[in-house]
Amino acid sequence: MTSAPPADVRGGTRRRRDSRRGDSVFFNLSRGSGILLLVIMAAIAGFLAYRSALALSKNQGNFFTTFEWAPDGTPSVFGIAVLTFGTLVSACIAMLIAVPISVGIALFISHYAPRRIAQPFAYLVDLLAAVPSIVYGLWGVLFLVPHMDGLTSWLNEYLGWTYLFGQTSSGVPPRNLFTVGILLAIMVLPIITAVTREVFRQVPRMHEEAALALGATRWEMIRTAVLPFGRPGIISASMLGLGRALGETIAVATVLSTNSKLSLHLLDPGGGTFAQNIALKFNEAQPLGRDALMASGLVLFVITLLVNGAARMIIARRKEYSGAAA
C-alpha cells in the first residue's frame, strides 16, 4: 500500500493549480481586452471612412486645399486647409509653452520643494487637471481675451518683423490662434505635470545618491540622472497633453473667432480647428454636411494615430533610458 501525500504537499499542489488557473484567466482577459480595443478602433475607422466616402464623392472642391466649408451649398464645396492649419498651429503653440513649464513644475515638486509645500502643490495640480473644459472656455473668453491686448500689442511692435506676430487687424478682440494656444497650454499643463511628476518620483534613489557622491550639484544630478531616466515619461506625458490639445472642443469654440481665412499672422482673428468645427456645425448640418464633418473627423483620427505612433517610435529608440534595467 502507498501512503497518501502529506497535507502540506496536497495544499501546495492545489495552490499551484489555482495559481496557474488564475494566470490563464488573467492572460485570456488581457488578450481579449486588447483584441476588443483593436476591433473598436477598426469599427470607428471603418464608420468614418464610409461616411467620408459619401461626402467626398459629392465634393466639388479639393478636400485638402480648399479653404471654404459649404458642404450643404449648391454646389457642395468643402475643404480642411483652414482646419488643419488651425488645429496644428494652436496645438504646437500649446506644447511649446506647456512642456517646459510642466517639466519645471514637476522637478520643483519632486526634487526641490519641501514636503509640506510639495504635497499641497501636487494636489492643486491634480485638481486643475479635473476642471471641465467649459470652465476653461468661460475663463478664457471673460478674462484671458480682454487681458491679451497688451501682450499682442507688444508682440506686434517688437516681433512684427517675423510676420507670424505681425498684426494686420487692429482694434478687434484678440480671439485668435495665439490666444487659443495659450488657453490650451493652460489646460494641458496639469496633465503633463502630473504624469511627469510621477515619472520623476520613480527615479532610482541609488542613481541620485551616486551622482551626488561624485560631487555633482543638485542640478547636475537632475541633468545626468533624473532627466535621462524620465525622458520616455516626459514624451508620453507630452503626447497625452497633445492629444487633448488636438481634440479640445468647447474651450476653443468659446474663445476663437472662426472664419474660412487662412493667415500666417497668428495675432489676427480667425481660423478654426477640426473639433471646434464639428461641434459648432453638426446640429445645423444637413446629411451631406454631417458626412463632410465625419470626413474631417477621420483626418483628426489619423493625425492622432500618427502622433501616438511617432511617440512610440521615439520611446522605443530610447529604451536605455526607460529604467527597465535599473
Side-chain angles (χ1 to χ4, degrees):
M1 294 180 62
T2 58
S3 59
D8 56 344
V9 174
R10 293 196 301 269
T13 303
R14 188 180 300 111
R15 284 193 296 268
R16 285 193 295 271
R17 290 176 180 173
D18 294 340
S19 177
R20 286 195 294 268
R21 188 180 298 111
D23 291 340
S24 176
V25 171
F26 180 78
F27 173 77
N28 290 326
L29 288 176
S30 301
R31 182 170 58 181
S33 299
I35 295 174
L36 178 62
L37 177 61
L38 294 177
V39 170
I40 292 175
M41 291 185 63
I44 294 174
F47 172 77
L48 293 176
Y50 171 72
R51 297 291 295 269
S52 300
L54 296 178
L56 294 177
S57 64
K58 301 178 181 178
N59 185 17
Q60 300 300 313
N62 189 298
F63 181 66
F64 296 102
T65 60
T66 301
F67 292 176
E68 185 181 359
W69 187 269
D72 292 322
T74 305
S76 177
V77 178
F78 59 92
I80 59 171
V82 175
L83 304 179
T84 304
F85 178 80
T87 300
L88 296 180
V89 168
S90 60
C92 288
I93 294 174
M95 299 308 294
L96 289 174
I97 297 174
V99 172
I101 297 176
S102 299
V103 173
I105 296 175
L107 285 174
F108 173 76
I109 294 175
S110 60
H111 287 83
Y112 282 94
R115 183 177 296 273
R116 65 179 183 277
I117 298 177
Q119 200 71 16
F121 209 72
Y123 288 150
L124 178 61
V125 170
D126 295 339
L127 181 63
L128 289 175
V131 175
S133 299
I134 185 61
V135 176
Y136 282 110
L138 292 175
W139 177 84
V141 72
L142 297 177
F143 180 84
L144 182 61
V145 171
H147 289 81
M148 285 291 294
D149 289 324
L151 178 59
T152 54
S153 299
W154 186 89
L155 291 173
N156 180 49
E157 181 178 356
Y158 293 100
L159 297 177
W161 56 270
T162 62
Y163 192 83
L164 291 176
F165 296 107
Q167 190 174 15
T168 61
S169 302
S170 58
V172 295
R175 302 179 64 175
N176 47 49
L177 291 176
F178 183 71
T179 303
V180 169
I182 293 178
L183 179 62
L184 290 176
I186 296 173
M187 295 179 65
V188 303
L189 189 145
I191 299 174
I192 302 175
T193 301
V195 177
T196 306
R197 181 192 72 225
E198 296 304 320
V199 171
F200 288 160
R201 284 180 174 175
Q202 302 303 317
V203 178
R205 188 66 178 172
M206 291 185 298
H207 292 187
E208 300 180 5
E209 292 176 350
L212 294 174
L214 291 174
T217 63
R218 180 177 294 187
W219 165 242
E220 290 173 338
M221 178 270 293
I222 290 174
R223 183 169 56 86
T224 58
V226 177
L227 292 180
F229 180 92
R231 190 171 296 141
I234 295 174
I235 296 173
S236 300
S238 301
M239 292 305 104
L240 286 175
L242 180 59
R244 180 171 184 181
L246 289 172
E248 183 52 47
T249 305
I250 300 301
V252 177
T254 306
V255 172
L256 185 61
S257 177
T258 60
N259 59 38
S260 58
K261 178 182 177 182
L262 193 154
S263 175
L264 294 178
H265 295 288
L266 300 181
L267 302 183
D268 286 345
T273 66
F274 287 111
Q276 174 220 30
N277 187 61
I278 294 173
L280 291 180
K281 297 183 178 180
F282 192 84
N283 287 334
E284 62 186 23
Q286 301 300 318
L288 180 57
R290 293 189 177 184
D291 291 340
L293 293 174
M294 294 291 181
S296 67
L298 177 62
V299 176
L300 181 59
F301 183 78
V302 172
I303 291 176
T304 304
L305 289 181
L306 292 177
V307 168
N308 288 327
R312 294 303 306 171
M313 292 177 60
I314 295 173
I315 294 174
R317 292 176 60 183
R318 297 182 177 274
K319 287 183 178 180
E320 66 270 19
Y321 297 121
S322 65

